Amino acid sequence: MAKRVTLLNGPNLNLLGRRQPEIYGHETLADVEAASAALAAELGLEIAAFQSNHEGALVDRIQAAREDSAAIIINPGAYSHTSVAILDALNAFDGVVIEVHISNIHRREAFRHHSYVSQRADGVIAGCGTEGYLLALRRIATLLG
Ligand code: DHK
């Protein structure tokens, strides 16, 4: 059976493709999820995608991943820089965690330079555009063997 990867996107990422495209690009979240599902199938994985603008809903989905997923790809959006709750939930998850930022957060405002999630992440991808999600999947395939 294909190993499941939970793909989580946080606040405002539902607006991908329409929100500041000079920073986040022209691909929509639906495009990202479809491309991720296609690559996952090639790699013998399957994707369960979820986006929410709400911190607690993301925590709930991370907790659910404890039961059904071997890995999590997470772009926590602005919660990267604020959320101890998301970090705590990820610390309770035993699988692989890869953190993705579409933009290079280190080249942006100082408040974006720190991510709570990075303390748990097995890998961090930033500044690779939406391709970062696909790079994350390839890394997960390597780590899961
Ligand atoms: C996405 C966001 O929504 C921002 O709040 C982060 C991240 C950066 C990204 O680059 O994907 O600061």
Side-chain angles (χ1 to χ4, degrees), residues 35-120:
S36 299
L39 178 60
E42 273 178 41
L43 296 170
L45 302 169
E46 69 175 28
I47 291 286
F50 180 77
Q51 185 278 331
S52 179
N53 294 325
H54 303 280
E55 186 176 22
L58 292 163
V59 168
D60 286 345
R61 196 60 194 81
I62 293 165
Q63 289 187 10
R66 285 161 50 87
E67 310 303 325
D68 66 13
S69 295
I72 293 175
I73 297 172
I74 182 165
N75 182 345
Y79 290 141
S80 315
H81 320 300
T82 63
S83 181
V84 176
I86 289 176
L87 171 62
D88 284 351
L90 289 169
N91 277 332
F93 175 75
D94 287 332
V96 176
V97 175
I98 306 290
E99 177 182 2
V100 171
H101 303 283
I102 296 166
S103 64
N104 180 355
I105 55 174
H106 301 291
R107 211 163 67 176
R108 300 181 64 191
E109 302 96 321
F111 66 83
R112 295 186 203 274
H113 296 178
H114 176 263
S115 165
Y116 284 97
V117 169
S118 297
Q119 194 172 335
R120 164 63 179 88

